[in-house]
Amino acid sequence: MYAFEFERPGSLDAAVKALQEEDAQALGGGQTLIPTLKQRLAMPSKLVSLKGIAELQGIAQEGDVLKVGGGSTHGAVARETKGIFAGLSLMASKIGDPAVRNRGTMGGSLANNDPAACYPAALMATRGTVVTNTREIAAEEYFQGLFTTALEEGEIITSIRFPLPEKSNYQKFEQPASRFPLVGVFVAKYGDRVGVGVTGASEDGVFAWKEAEEALAGNFAPEAVDDLWVSAEGMMSDLHGTAEYRAHLVKVMTKRAVAAAE
Amino acid sequence: MPKDHGIGASTKRREDVRFLTGDGHYTDDINLHGQAYVHFLRSDVAHGRLVSVETEEAAKMPGVLRIFTGKDFEAVGSIPCGWLITSRDGQPMQEPPHPVLAQGKVRHVGDPIAAVVAETYEQARDAAEAIMVEIEDLPAVIDMKQALAEGATKVHDDLKDNLCYDWGFVEENREAVDKAIKEAHHVTTLELRNQRLVANPMEPRVAVGDYARHNDESTLYTTSQNPHVIRLLMGAFVLGIPEHKLRVAAPDVGGGFGSKIFHYAEEAFCTFAAKQLRRPVKWTSSRAEAFISDAQGRDHVTKIELALDKDNNFTALRTETYANMGAYLSTFSTSVPTWLHGTLMAGNYKTPLIYVNVKAVFTNTVPVDAYRGAGRPEATYQLERVIDKAARELGVDPLALRRQNFVTEFPYATPVAVEYDTGDYNATLDKLEEIADLKGFEARRKESEAKGKLRGLGVNCYIEACGIAPSNLVGQLGARAGLYESATVRVNATGGLVVMTGSHSHGQGHETTFPQVIADMIGIDANMVEIEHGDTANTPMGMGTYGSRSIAVGGSAMVRAAEKVIAKAKKIAAHMMEASEGDIELKDGQFTVAGTDKSLAWGDVTLAAYVPHNYPLEELEPGLEETAFYDPSNFTYPAGAYACEVEVDPETGKVTVERFAAADDFGNVINPMIVEGQVHGGIAQGVGQALLESCVYDETGQLLTGTYMDYAMPRAGDLPSYVVDHSCRTPCTHNPLGVKGCGEAGAIASPPTVVNAVIDALQSGGHKVDHIDMPVSPARVWQAMQ
Ligand SMILES: Cc1cc2nc3c(=O)[nH]c(=O)nc-3n(C[C@H](O)[C@H](O)[C@H](O)COP(=O)(O)OP(=O)(O)OC[C@H]3O[C@@H](n4cnc5c(N)ncnc54)[C@H](O)[C@@H]3O)c2cc1C
């Protein structure tokens, strides 16, 4: 690790200010950033911890929307959304291990936008909104490829807003080593539409499988996607799975998520 | 004698109290006054010529004490290889030098180029970033067959080529084997890879070098399975320090699995630098560094052919193996694919003709050496996979085919140089059929099918050679060491004992099991016995722990020393009770005179040994302390049968292990709980190899699996509850405890069991798949089904 300064502001305003310093960086749960620092792959001048900011905490239902504070840990999400948003609760409960879940935050995960992160699939399927200290960003504008988002320098995710579905589920097919998704599919069913968010698979990061969304909107049953297929073109290919395998898994996981949706 | 402390009792591990409460004392817990820290600058390319290493600017950075490069080690010896192998043509193997820091060339990613010693670890790391290294890239030699091709780039310029040796075993059998295979009724052939693994002990390696000016003594604290071996190799071959001026201590060691047997450059460096700088020098490996500097395991590519007659008797076996040595020869690297592998190719079977050919190859990868099982898993995997394939081709029951060919009469001299002293392979297979409920398999398969899953059963038999090893035999085979073990049994005046063993515990539980044996011999509470190990300053020269040798060889040495102690104590007791020595009996901690009611307690006699007032001083020295060295007359041969049931998800290719059973014959068992623990851990590693683990380099020699994000370790959730049994016991005939060793069995026997089960599952689903290389990952299984 290179040396850095550390600040733990008590309010959003103070955090925004602290982040104006050149090379200052926000620290959420540190579950991605700290390992990066240990490997000397990042060299921030200052870490601004978001853990002490009340505005980033809290998970609450507001009408037909679930609002999750950007600083909410995966553990809190898993526990507190259980009866409200089954798919999200299930997703959060399967991220990493208890230590990761008790530190890592939804804001940190979405800001990092790892192509194999789980939450992007939920945000994409629900067409949710990322709320920051300055604006609101719709899911489709927010994700801009691997590890890239619409966030500006120093912008802080304060909350995430998910339109609550009638039914939802997440199917995570684990990469054998990291246990991140090799392919993860989130399905959210609403009265008039269905969202299908796919993570882990594409070279461009999370995406909505639009053909499946259409087919499922007409018939929310696993068979509805039987005649669809995902092209292997543009899928990631690595030690743990070829592009063809990933493309195949997208369909299998989608069907399973539909079957399991509650 | 309290039954919960002697031989056969499942005494809880006394060492666990400190391990589980955070009071373990590991090498990294050692911090000496004035200690400095070293960081190694390692090569990030697999192969290249070192044009220049500029350290001037870096040396001026804060806290830097000194920067060492290969030049500083020109006068220092090369890290030696402990086993000379002779090729088929009678030539000795090609043995390149292995410098402490790279000289002239770098030969694998991770090869140390320079070492920065500084006041703090972070300062050393900062300065390392300021060293300017110019490397002229050379083509990386990664694939073994390409390494041997005409005109291939050489890993070592001074060698003829990249072939370390071409070993034939037994060379005299070659023609007869070729002929038998040519004329066979049926030949089953299989090509397979036993993939490279990273040992991954929980505790990464650490070394602390120290130098005492007042007596010119060097000390190395290190994470080692065999401190005496390190002292000998480093002192005599690398640094030229006589053993009486060098102490090597390995305190608590958090797992080794073989990877901490070997003498490493970092150990020599810390010892050397401490003397140069007159400061203790510490190195603590990071996990990332462990992936590119700990010796790795396995990495064999094999073609095996099994010949059978019309009645399905095995008539001949032929194998051709390419064994990856990596860039340098690690301590026991050369013996693993040869004597620890070729000698096991008979397995449990009476195949009359066997020929094993092994080509050991240099590549631009991390050196490969022994890893849990070392050579024996590779042998077992090939043999048990090819037998399974043969059974399928011939349409016979795989168990019946094995039974028909079992060795049933002992001792049995195999055609591959070893003699099995005892065993009963039908007994362990019978036991397996019972504990694995093989009869119920078809019903369970139907249940799985009803859920849309394919279920498979894999069965497998194994034998291993443990209790390594008779010194005169291994000497003839090229070992540059003896493989005896030692123990000193020191009895204190008040009757407590300390056993100083040359064996080493890094998870095996010696501190619990060794006292159980002494407790039984004397009839005292095991808590009266303390075990010391791991420090050359207070233990007799010993060879350490690997090859499932601790209780069989180290335990035997302890028994021999204890026997001497008891014999002397009886003499003292005879004098004290005015009886004849031959009439003295020792039982339950009491000396009695046969036919009388005279008795003396153990403590009365031990006190007399140190307070010799009423003592036969003319005939007997005072004191009660004896040392013994035990050299085994043969290997021991644990054997057994394993079964595994898997479910394959046909949509994703994912394999789950549903049931796992192991029936082992370890001979006599000292502590059943510890034995079961060893089997459990071995199975976890074996299933890990079968389904998950794999160390992969790309064609440029970059390690693709250098972190846990890509190197898949087994976890508790990947494993079912096992049924393990060790009630079949044919005691070893040649050691005093009748024990065989149990540390590696699980890792040896599990991989073929799992792969056989996966193939069975796929075949049951109508997929014509004969083989999938390990790890049998979801992606590979799915691919095989397409
Ligand atoms: C062993 C392990 C297993 C894991 N498994 C999974 C898994 O299965 N699925 C999965 O999705 N993830 C997984 N993760 C990643 C985990 O979810 C991380 O917690 C998450 O990716 C990052 O969140 P964090 O709060 O720890 O962020 P940090 O590591 O603190 O920060 C990550 C990045 O986000 C920025 N940041 C943090 N908070 C904010 C904010 N509120 N606004 C703007 N920027 C911010 C930081 O500056 C940094 O650039 C795993 C991690 C580990 C260590």
Side-chain angles (χ1 to χ4, degrees), chain B residues 771-785:
Chain B
H771 180 68
I772 302 176
D773 271 331
M774 299 186 292
V776 183
S777 63
R780 285 187 177 170
V781 174
W782 179 78
Q783 197 62 48
M785 288 188 294

mmCIF file of all heavy atoms in Angstrom, chain B residues 771-785:
data_model
loop_
_atom_site.group_PDB
_atom_site.id
_atom_site.type_symbol
_atom_site.label_atom_id
_atom_site.label_comp_id
_atom_site.label_asym_id
_atom_site.label_seq_id
_atom_site.Cartn_x
_atom_site.Cartn_y
_atom_site.Cartn_z
ATOM 1 N N HIS B 771 -13.365 -39.544 -21.370
ATOM 2 C CA HIS B 771 -12.408 -38.897 -20.481
ATOM 3 C C HIS B 771 -12.588 -37.385 -20.548
ATOM 4 O O HIS B 771 -12.853 -36.835 -21.602
ATOM 5 C CB HIS B 771 -10.960 -39.249 -20.888
ATOM 6 C CG HIS B 771 -9.951 -38.598 -19.998
ATOM 7 N ND1 HIS B 771 -9.811 -38.959 -18.676
ATOM 8 C CD2 HIS B 771 -9.060 -37.601 -20.207
ATOM 9 C CE1 HIS B 771 -8.872 -38.190 -18.112
ATOM 10 N NE2 HIS B 771 -8.399 -37.363 -19.018
ATOM 11 N N ILE B 772 -12.431 -36.735 -19.380
ATOM 12 C CA ILE B 772 -12.335 -35.274 -19.324
ATOM 13 C C ILE B 772 -11.143 -34.976 -18.437
ATOM 14 O O ILE B 772 -11.017 -35.550 -17.353
ATOM 15 C CB ILE B 772 -13.612 -34.627 -18.716
ATOM 16 C CG1 ILE B 772 -14.855 -35.015 -19.534
ATOM 17 C CG2 ILE B 772 -13.461 -33.116 -18.658
ATOM 18 C CD1 ILE B 772 -16.156 -34.491 -18.942
ATOM 19 N N ASP B 773 -10.264 -34.110 -18.883
ATOM 20 C CA ASP B 773 -9.117 -33.769 -18.044
ATOM 21 C C ASP B 773 -9.560 -32.957 -16.833
ATOM 22 O O ASP B 773 -10.514 -32.179 -16.909
ATOM 23 C CB ASP B 773 -8.089 -32.964 -18.860
ATOM 24 C CG ASP B 773 -7.079 -33.868 -19.555
ATOM 25 O OD1 ASP B 773 -6.809 -34.973 -19.025
ATOM 26 O OD2 ASP B 773 -6.555 -33.478 -20.615
ATOM 27 N N MET B 774 -8.830 -33.130 -15.753
ATOM 28 C CA MET B 774 -9.097 -32.349 -14.535
ATOM 29 C C MET B 774 -8.580 -30.927 -14.739
ATOM 30 O O MET B 774 -7.600 -30.742 -15.434
ATOM 31 C CB MET B 774 -8.385 -32.984 -13.345
ATOM 32 C CG MET B 774 -8.833 -34.407 -13.052
ATOM 33 S SD MET B 774 -8.078 -35.062 -11.528
ATOM 34 C CE MET B 774 -6.345 -35.206 -11.989
ATOM 35 N N PRO B 775 -9.161 -29.933 -14.093
ATOM 36 C CA PRO B 775 -10.342 -30.050 -13.251
ATOM 37 C C PRO B 775 -11.591 -30.225 -14.099
ATOM 38 O O PRO B 775 -11.744 -29.568 -15.132
ATOM 39 C CB PRO B 775 -10.381 -28.698 -12.526
ATOM 40 C CG PRO B 775 -9.732 -27.745 -13.469
ATOM 41 C CD PRO B 775 -8.662 -28.538 -14.165
ATOM 42 N N VAL B 776 -12.459 -31.094 -13.644
ATOM 43 C CA VAL B 776 -13.687 -31.377 -14.378
ATOM 44 C C VAL B 776 -14.661 -30.245 -14.060
ATOM 45 O O VAL B 776 -15.576 -30.375 -13.267
ATOM 46 C CB VAL B 776 -14.227 -32.764 -13.962
ATOM 47 C CG1 VAL B 776 -15.467 -33.112 -14.758
ATOM 48 C CG2 VAL B 776 -13.162 -33.822 -14.203
ATOM 49 N N SER B 777 -14.408 -29.107 -14.682
ATOM 50 C CA SER B 777 -15.169 -27.892 -14.397
ATOM 51 C C SER B 777 -16.493 -27.934 -15.146
ATOM 52 O O SER B 777 -16.642 -28.687 -16.116
ATOM 53 C CB SER B 777 -14.362 -26.676 -14.863
ATOM 54 O OG SER B 777 -14.196 -26.742 -16.263
ATOM 55 N N PRO B 778 -17.450 -27.132 -14.724
ATOM 56 C CA PRO B 778 -18.728 -27.093 -15.442
ATOM 57 C C PRO B 778 -18.525 -26.837 -16.940
ATOM 58 O O PRO B 778 -19.152 -27.489 -17.776
ATOM 59 C CB PRO B 778 -19.471 -25.928 -14.787
ATOM 60 C CG PRO B 778 -18.862 -25.766 -13.446
ATOM 61 C CD PRO B 778 -17.444 -26.231 -13.556
ATOM 62 N N ALA B 779 -17.632 -25.904 -17.268
ATOM 63 C CA ALA B 779 -17.423 -25.567 -18.675
ATOM 64 C C ALA B 779 -16.916 -26.781 -19.461
ATOM 65 O O ALA B 779 -17.344 -27.031 -20.589
ATOM 66 C CB ALA B 779 -16.434 -24.404 -18.787
ATOM 67 N N ARG B 780 -15.988 -27.544 -18.852
ATOM 68 C CA ARG B 780 -15.461 -28.715 -19.573
ATOM 69 C C ARG B 780 -16.499 -29.812 -19.715
ATOM 70 O O ARG B 780 -16.555 -30.502 -20.745
ATOM 71 C CB ARG B 780 -14.242 -29.264 -18.825
ATOM 72 C CG ARG B 780 -13.022 -28.402 -19.034
ATOM 73 C CD ARG B 780 -11.799 -29.064 -18.434
ATOM 74 N NE ARG B 780 -10.632 -28.235 -18.726
ATOM 75 C CZ ARG B 780 -9.443 -28.431 -18.185
ATOM 76 N NH1 ARG B 780 -9.245 -29.438 -17.350
ATOM 77 N NH2 ARG B 780 -8.435 -27.646 -18.502
ATOM 78 N N VAL B 781 -17.287 -30.010 -18.680
ATOM 79 C CA VAL B 781 -18.306 -31.062 -18.749
ATOM 80 C C VAL B 781 -19.347 -30.697 -19.809
ATOM 81 O O VAL B 781 -19.737 -31.518 -20.635
ATOM 82 C CB VAL B 781 -18.971 -31.275 -17.367
ATOM 83 C CG1 VAL B 781 -20.137 -32.259 -17.469
ATOM 84 C CG2 VAL B 781 -17.935 -31.775 -16.360
ATOM 85 N N TRP B 782 -19.746 -29.432 -19.783
ATOM 86 C CA TRP B 782 -20.740 -28.994 -20.762
ATOM 87 C C TRP B 782 -20.188 -29.164 -22.183
ATOM 88 O O TRP B 782 -20.862 -29.684 -23.078
ATOM 89 C CB TRP B 782 -21.110 -27.527 -20.494
ATOM 90 C CG TRP B 782 -22.118 -26.999 -21.472
ATOM 91 C CD1 TRP B 782 -23.447 -27.233 -21.467
ATOM 92 C CD2 TRP B 782 -21.843 -26.171 -22.612
ATOM 93 N NE1 TRP B 782 -24.033 -26.601 -22.531
ATOM 94 C CE2 TRP B 782 -23.086 -25.941 -23.252
ATOM 95 C CE3 TRP B 782 -20.685 -25.610 -23.160
ATOM 96 C CZ2 TRP B 782 -23.184 -25.170 -24.411
ATOM 97 C CZ3 TRP B 782 -20.788 -24.841 -24.303
ATOM 98 C CH2 TRP B 782 -22.030 -24.628 -24.921
ATOM 99 N N GLN B 783 -18.919 -28.758 -22.368
ATOM 100 C CA GLN B 783 -18.273 -28.896 -23.680
ATOM 101 C C GLN B 783 -18.271 -30.367 -24.116
ATOM 102 O O GLN B 783 -18.566 -30.671 -25.268
ATOM 103 C CB GLN B 783 -16.835 -28.371 -23.585
ATOM 104 C CG GLN B 783 -16.197 -28.083 -24.925
ATOM 105 C CD GLN B 783 -16.941 -26.993 -25.684
ATOM 106 O OE1 GLN B 783 -17.254 -25.955 -25.130
ATOM 107 N NE2 GLN B 783 -17.255 -27.270 -26.945
ATOM 108 N N ALA B 784 -17.941 -31.239 -23.170
ATOM 109 C CA ALA B 784 -17.857 -32.670 -23.506
ATOM 110 C C ALA B 784 -19.223 -33.220 -23.917
ATOM 111 O O ALA B 784 -19.304 -34.174 -24.689
ATOM 112 C CB ALA B 784 -17.309 -33.451 -22.302
ATOM 113 N N MET B 785 -20.276 -32.624 -23.405
ATOM 114 C CA MET B 785 -21.626 -33.123 -23.728
ATOM 115 C C MET B 785 -22.129 -32.616 -25.080
ATOM 116 O O MET B 785 -23.129 -33.107 -25.578
ATOM 117 C CB MET B 785 -22.621 -32.700 -22.631
ATOM 118 C CG MET B 785 -22.427 -33.457 -21.326
ATOM 119 S SD MET B 785 -23.753 -33.122 -20.122
ATOM 120 C CE MET B 785 -23.497 -31.427 -19.753
#
